Amino acid sequence: MKITIAIVTYGRAWALPYSLTSIASQTRKPDEVLIVLKPSGDGSEEVIKSFSSQLPIELVVQVRGNFTDAVQMAIDNAKG
């Protein structure tokens, strides 16, 4: 069984390290960490890239749409 953790984020660069550190410290690592990011210029992409050596991160950039669209993007792109 594959495990995917999906995160939808916008303007939360300050919160991402907490979530990603928690995921990285789990006994059973996920097969994929799918992050749907609506760019906000707050440094979220840099935070995500800093965890790419610890976690199997798949980044999907949401150009337009709302939160519901972002959740649907996560569901559509999840492999687990």
mmCIF file of all heavy atoms in Angstrom, residues 1-32:
data_model
loop_
_atom_site.group_PDB
_atom_site.id
_atom_site.type_symbol
_atom_site.label_atom_id
_atom_site.label_comp_id
_atom_site.label_asym_id
_atom_site.label_seq_id
_atom_site.Cartn_x
_atom_site.Cartn_y
_atom_site.Cartn_z
ATOM 1 N N MET A 1 0.831 -1.168 0.000
ATOM 2 C CA MET A 1 0.000 0.000 0.000
ATOM 3 C C MET A 1 0.888 1.248 0.000
ATOM 4 O O MET A 1 1.813 1.352 0.787
ATOM 5 C CB MET A 1 -0.895 -0.004 1.244
ATOM 6 C CG MET A 1 -1.642 1.291 1.397
ATOM 7 S SD MET A 1 -2.451 1.624 2.980
ATOM 8 C CE MET A 1 -3.204 0.118 3.409
ATOM 9 N N LYS A 2 0.565 2.189 -0.895
ATOM 10 C CA LYS A 2 1.288 3.452 -0.935
ATOM 11 C C LYS A 2 0.574 4.482 -0.069
ATOM 12 O O LYS A 2 -0.654 4.528 -0.026
ATOM 13 C CB LYS A 2 1.364 3.972 -2.373
ATOM 14 C CG LYS A 2 2.304 3.205 -3.241
ATOM 15 C CD LYS A 2 2.463 3.886 -4.567
ATOM 16 C CE LYS A 2 3.490 3.162 -5.390
ATOM 17 N NZ LYS A 2 3.756 3.839 -6.646
ATOM 18 N N ILE A 3 1.371 5.283 0.596
ATOM 19 C CA ILE A 3 0.817 6.330 1.456
ATOM 20 C C ILE A 3 1.188 7.688 0.886
ATOM 21 O O ILE A 3 2.363 7.976 0.648
ATOM 22 C CB ILE A 3 1.353 6.210 2.892
ATOM 23 C CG1 ILE A 3 0.895 4.894 3.506
ATOM 24 C CG2 ILE A 3 0.891 7.397 3.733
ATOM 25 C CD1 ILE A 3 1.468 4.628 4.865
ATOM 26 N N THR A 4 0.160 8.511 0.654
ATOM 27 C CA THR A 4 0.355 9.884 0.205
ATOM 28 C C THR A 4 -0.171 10.815 1.275
ATOM 29 O O THR A 4 -1.276 10.629 1.787
ATOM 30 C CB THR A 4 -0.409 10.155 -1.110
ATOM 31 O OG1 THR A 4 0.122 9.335 -2.143
ATOM 32 C CG2 THR A 4 -0.282 11.614 -1.532
ATOM 33 N N ILE A 5 0.618 11.809 1.603
ATOM 34 C CA ILE A 5 0.164 12.877 2.489
ATOM 35 C C ILE A 5 -0.012 14.105 1.603
ATOM 36 O O ILE A 5 0.908 14.484 0.883
ATOM 37 C CB ILE A 5 1.178 13.161 3.607
ATOM 38 C CG1 ILE A 5 1.280 11.940 4.512
ATOM 39 C CG2 ILE A 5 0.774 14.399 4.393
ATOM 40 C CD1 ILE A 5 2.308 12.045 5.601
ATOM 41 N N ALA A 6 -1.191 14.697 1.651
ATOM 42 C CA ALA A 6 -1.482 15.870 0.831
ATOM 43 C C ALA A 6 -1.583 17.110 1.715
ATOM 44 O O ALA A 6 -2.231 17.091 2.758
ATOM 45 C CB ALA A 6 -2.781 15.668 0.062
ATOM 46 N N ILE A 7 -0.924 18.169 1.266
ATOM 47 C CA ILE A 7 -0.961 19.454 1.963
ATOM 48 C C ILE A 7 -1.361 20.504 0.931
ATOM 49 O O ILE A 7 -0.777 20.573 -0.148
ATOM 50 C CB ILE A 7 0.415 19.813 2.554
ATOM 51 C CG1 ILE A 7 0.851 18.777 3.579
ATOM 52 C CG2 ILE A 7 0.402 21.212 3.151
ATOM 53 C CD1 ILE A 7 2.277 18.964 4.087
ATOM 54 N N VAL A 8 -2.346 21.313 1.282
ATOM 55 C CA VAL A 8 -2.761 22.439 0.447
ATOM 56 C C VAL A 8 -2.367 23.694 1.204
ATOM 57 O O VAL A 8 -2.715 23.849 2.375
ATOM 58 C CB VAL A 8 -4.282 22.401 0.190
ATOM 59 C CG1 VAL A 8 -4.727 23.628 -0.585
ATOM 60 C CG2 VAL A 8 -4.666 21.130 -0.553
ATOM 61 N N THR A 9 -1.615 24.585 0.545
ATOM 62 C CA THR A 9 -1.111 25.741 1.271
ATOM 63 C C THR A 9 -1.118 27.013 0.431
ATOM 64 O O THR A 9 -0.940 26.971 -0.782
ATOM 65 C CB THR A 9 0.311 25.467 1.814
ATOM 66 O OG1 THR A 9 0.720 26.571 2.623
ATOM 67 C CG2 THR A 9 1.309 25.260 0.701
ATOM 68 N N TYR A 10 -1.336 28.113 1.122
ATOM 69 C CA TYR A 10 -1.264 29.446 0.525
ATOM 70 C C TYR A 10 -0.888 30.427 1.632
ATOM 71 O O TYR A 10 -1.601 30.564 2.634
ATOM 72 C CB TYR A 10 -2.612 29.852 -0.084
ATOM 73 C CG TYR A 10 -2.651 31.298 -0.540
ATOM 74 C CD1 TYR A 10 -1.962 31.700 -1.683
ATOM 75 C CD2 TYR A 10 -3.354 32.257 0.174
ATOM 76 C CE1 TYR A 10 -1.986 33.014 -2.100
ATOM 77 C CE2 TYR A 10 -3.383 33.576 -0.231
ATOM 78 C CZ TYR A 10 -2.704 33.951 -1.373
ATOM 79 O OH TYR A 10 -2.709 35.269 -1.793
ATOM 80 N N GLY A 11 0.257 31.061 1.490
ATOM 81 C CA GLY A 11 0.673 32.067 2.455
ATOM 82 C C GLY A 11 0.974 31.532 3.841
ATOM 83 O O GLY A 11 0.744 32.223 4.835
ATOM 84 N N ARG A 12 1.485 30.322 3.921
ATOM 85 C CA ARG A 12 1.764 29.711 5.224
ATOM 86 C C ARG A 12 3.192 29.191 5.324
ATOM 87 O O ARG A 12 3.437 28.124 5.886
ATOM 88 C CB ARG A 12 0.791 28.557 5.488
ATOM 89 C CG ARG A 12 -0.649 28.960 5.564
ATOM 90 C CD ARG A 12 -0.922 29.560 6.933
ATOM 91 N NE ARG A 12 -2.344 29.766 7.116
ATOM 92 C CZ ARG A 12 -2.873 30.960 7.329
ATOM 93 N NH1 ARG A 12 -2.119 32.018 7.368
ATOM 94 N NH2 ARG A 12 -4.163 31.090 7.514
ATOM 95 N N ALA A 13 4.137 29.941 4.808
ATOM 96 C CA ALA A 13 5.537 29.512 4.871
ATOM 97 C C ALA A 13 5.968 29.280 6.316
ATOM 98 O O ALA A 13 6.757 28.383 6.596
ATOM 99 C CB ALA A 13 6.442 30.543 4.206
ATOM 100 N N TRP A 14 5.430 30.045 7.238
ATOM 101 C CA TRP A 14 5.809 29.912 8.645
ATOM 102 C C TRP A 14 5.336 28.579 9.239
ATOM 103 O O TRP A 14 5.942 28.070 10.172
ATOM 104 C CB TRP A 14 5.234 31.073 9.461
ATOM 105 C CG TRP A 14 3.735 31.136 9.426
ATOM 106 C CD1 TRP A 14 2.962 31.815 8.514
ATOM 107 C CD2 TRP A 14 2.831 30.473 10.296
ATOM 108 N NE1 TRP A 14 1.632 31.612 8.773
ATOM 109 C CE2 TRP A 14 1.513 30.781 9.870
ATOM 110 C CE3 TRP A 14 2.977 29.629 11.392
ATOM 111 C CZ2 TRP A 14 0.374 30.300 10.497
ATOM 112 C CZ3 TRP A 14 1.845 29.152 12.023
ATOM 113 C CH2 TRP A 14 0.565 29.484 11.577
ATOM 114 N N ALA A 15 4.253 27.997 8.707
ATOM 115 C CA ALA A 15 3.697 26.765 9.264
ATOM 116 C C ALA A 15 4.248 25.504 8.613
ATOM 117 O O ALA A 15 4.219 24.428 9.211
ATOM 118 C CB ALA A 15 2.177 26.776 9.139
ATOM 119 N N LEU A 16 4.738 25.618 7.392
ATOM 120 C CA LEU A 16 5.221 24.440 6.669
ATOM 121 C C LEU A 16 6.323 23.672 7.388
ATOM 122 O O LEU A 16 6.294 22.442 7.408
ATOM 123 C CB LEU A 16 5.674 24.831 5.262
ATOM 124 C CG LEU A 16 4.558 25.040 4.250
ATOM 125 C CD1 LEU A 16 5.126 25.626 2.958
ATOM 126 C CD2 LEU A 16 3.835 23.753 3.964
ATOM 127 N N PRO A 17 7.319 24.321 7.996
ATOM 128 C CA PRO A 17 8.357 23.555 8.690
ATOM 129 C C PRO A 17 7.804 22.658 9.795
ATOM 130 O O PRO A 17 8.295 21.546 9.991
ATOM 131 C CB PRO A 17 9.291 24.619 9.262
ATOM 132 C CG PRO A 17 9.096 25.798 8.393
ATOM 133 C CD PRO A 17 7.644 25.764 7.988
ATOM 134 N N TYR A 18 6.786 23.110 10.497
ATOM 135 C CA TYR A 18 6.187 22.287 11.551
ATOM 136 C C TYR A 18 5.569 21.024 10.957
ATOM 137 O O TYR A 18 5.770 19.917 11.454
ATOM 138 C CB TYR A 18 5.120 23.080 12.317
ATOM 139 C CG TYR A 18 5.665 24.279 13.041
ATOM 140 C CD1 TYR A 18 5.416 25.564 12.574
ATOM 141 C CD2 TYR A 18 6.432 24.135 14.194
ATOM 142 C CE1 TYR A 18 5.918 26.681 13.235
ATOM 143 C CE2 TYR A 18 6.936 25.237 14.861
ATOM 144 C CZ TYR A 18 6.680 26.505 14.375
ATOM 145 O OH TYR A 18 7.181 27.598 15.028
ATOM 146 N N SER A 19 4.808 21.196 9.893
ATOM 147 C CA SER A 19 4.147 20.050 9.258
ATOM 148 C C SER A 19 5.160 19.089 8.657
ATOM 149 O O SER A 19 5.077 17.872 8.860
ATOM 150 C CB SER A 19 3.200 20.534 8.153
ATOM 151 O OG SER A 19 2.202 21.354 8.683
ATOM 152 N N LEU A 20 6.127 19.622 7.914
ATOM 153 C CA LEU A 20 7.088 18.764 7.229
ATOM 154 C C LEU A 20 8.038 18.070 8.206
ATOM 155 O O LEU A 20 8.412 16.919 7.997
ATOM 156 C CB LEU A 20 7.841 19.563 6.173
ATOM 157 C CG LEU A 20 6.951 20.097 5.035
ATOM 158 C CD1 LEU A 20 7.747 21.018 4.109
ATOM 159 C CD2 LEU A 20 6.317 18.964 4.255
ATOM 160 N N THR A 21 8.406 18.742 9.288
ATOM 161 C CA THR A 21 9.241 18.116 10.307
ATOM 162 C C THR A 21 8.492 16.970 10.975
ATOM 163 O O THR A 21 9.057 15.902 11.227
ATOM 164 C CB THR A 21 9.689 19.151 11.358
ATOM 165 O OG1 THR A 21 10.451 20.158 10.715
ATOM 166 C CG2 THR A 21 10.509 18.510 12.455
ATOM 167 N N SER A 22 7.220 17.175 11.243
ATOM 168 C CA SER A 22 6.405 16.127 11.843
ATOM 169 C C SER A 22 6.302 14.920 10.920
ATOM 170 O O SER A 22 6.429 13.773 11.365
ATOM 171 C CB SER A 22 5.009 16.670 12.153
ATOM 172 O OG SER A 22 4.191 15.647 12.664
ATOM 173 N N ILE A 23 6.097 15.161 9.647
ATOM 174 C CA ILE A 23 6.019 14.066 8.676
ATOM 175 C C ILE A 23 7.349 13.325 8.609
ATOM 176 O O ILE A 23 7.393 12.095 8.592
ATOM 177 C CB ILE A 23 5.608 14.596 7.292
ATOM 178 C CG1 ILE A 23 4.178 15.144 7.333
ATOM 179 C CG2 ILE A 23 5.728 13.506 6.236
ATOM 180 C CD1 ILE A 23 3.798 15.976 6.119
ATOM 181 N N ALA A 24 8.447 14.063 8.580
ATOM 182 C CA ALA A 24 9.773 13.449 8.470
ATOM 183 C C ALA A 24 10.137 12.617 9.696
ATOM 184 O O ALA A 24 10.943 11.692 9.599
ATOM 185 C CB ALA A 24 10.831 14.529 8.238
ATOM 186 N N SER A 25 9.543 12.919 10.836
ATOM 187 C CA SER A 25 9.883 12.195 12.063
ATOM 188 C C SER A 25 9.029 10.943 12.290
ATOM 189 O O SER A 25 9.234 10.244 13.280
ATOM 190 C CB SER A 25 9.773 13.128 13.268
ATOM 191 O OG SER A 25 8.421 13.467 13.496
ATOM 192 N N GLN A 26 8.111 10.665 11.413
ATOM 193 C CA GLN A 26 7.252 9.493 11.566
ATOM 194 C C GLN A 26 8.041 8.199 11.375
ATOM 195 O O GLN A 26 9.008 8.153 10.612
ATOM 196 C CB GLN A 26 6.099 9.531 10.559
ATOM 197 C CG GLN A 26 5.165 10.701 10.731
ATOM 198 C CD GLN A 26 4.500 10.728 12.081
ATOM 199 O OE1 GLN A 26 3.930 9.741 12.522
ATOM 200 N NE2 GLN A 26 4.574 11.867 12.762
ATOM 201 N N THR A 27 7.624 7.161 12.063
ATOM 202 C CA THR A 27 8.261 5.855 11.931
ATOM 203 C C THR A 27 8.099 5.311 10.521
ATOM 204 O O THR A 27 9.045 4.814 9.929
ATOM 205 C CB THR A 27 7.650 4.858 12.939
ATOM 206 O OG1 THR A 27 7.766 5.411 14.236
ATOM 207 C CG2 THR A 27 8.341 3.523 12.871
ATOM 208 N N ARG A 28 6.901 5.394 9.991
ATOM 209 C CA ARG A 28 6.624 4.945 8.616
ATOM 210 C C ARG A 28 6.573 6.185 7.735
ATOM 211 O O ARG A 28 5.675 7.007 7.840
ATOM 212 C CB ARG A 28 5.291 4.186 8.559
ATOM 213 C CG ARG A 28 4.709 3.938 7.181
ATOM 214 C CD ARG A 28 5.589 3.019 6.333
ATOM 215 N NE ARG A 28 4.880 2.489 5.197
ATOM 216 C CZ ARG A 28 4.900 3.015 3.973
ATOM 217 N NH1 ARG A 28 5.575 4.115 3.727
ATOM 218 N NH2 ARG A 28 4.248 2.431 2.995
ATOM 219 N N LYS A 29 7.581 6.327 6.887
ATOM 220 C CA LYS A 29 7.635 7.477 5.994
ATOM 221 C C LYS A 29 6.613 7.301 4.872
ATOM 222 O O LYS A 29 6.384 6.197 4.394
ATOM 223 C CB LYS A 29 9.035 7.620 5.375
ATOM 224 C CG LYS A 29 10.152 7.810 6.379
ATOM 225 C CD LYS A 29 10.184 9.223 6.881
ATOM 226 C CE LYS A 29 11.430 9.528 7.660
ATOM 227 N NZ LYS A 29 11.422 9.124 9.038
ATOM 228 N N PRO A 30 6.000 8.391 4.418
ATOM 229 C CA PRO A 30 5.066 8.291 3.308
ATOM 230 C C PRO A 30 5.818 8.033 1.996
ATOM 231 O O PRO A 30 7.003 8.341 1.872
ATOM 232 C CB PRO A 30 4.394 9.666 3.284
ATOM 233 C CG PRO A 30 5.420 10.580 3.862
ATOM 234 C CD PRO A 30 6.143 9.756 4.899
ATOM 235 N N ASP A 31 5.112 7.468 1.032
ATOM 236 C CA ASP A 31 5.692 7.259 -0.287
ATOM 237 C C ASP A 31 5.715 8.560 -1.085
ATOM 238 O O ASP A 31 6.479 8.698 -2.035
ATOM 239 C CB ASP A 31 4.886 6.202 -1.045
ATOM 240 C CG ASP A 31 4.939 4.872 -0.334
ATOM 241 O OD1 ASP A 31 6.051 4.330 -0.197
ATOM 242 O OD2 ASP A 31 3.883 4.390 0.122
ATOM 243 N N GLU A 32 4.867 9.499 -0.665
ATOM 244 C CA GLU A 32 4.757 10.767 -1.382
ATOM 245 C C GLU A 32 4.183 11.816 -0.451
ATOM 246 O O GLU A 32 3.250 11.552 0.298
ATOM 247 C CB GLU A 32 3.838 10.564 -2.588
ATOM 248 C CG GLU A 32 3.457 11.810 -3.323
ATOM 249 C CD GLU A 32 2.432 11.531 -4.411
ATOM 250 O OE1 GLU A 32 1.452 10.786 -4.174
ATOM 251 O OE2 GLU A 32 2.618 12.073 -5.503
#
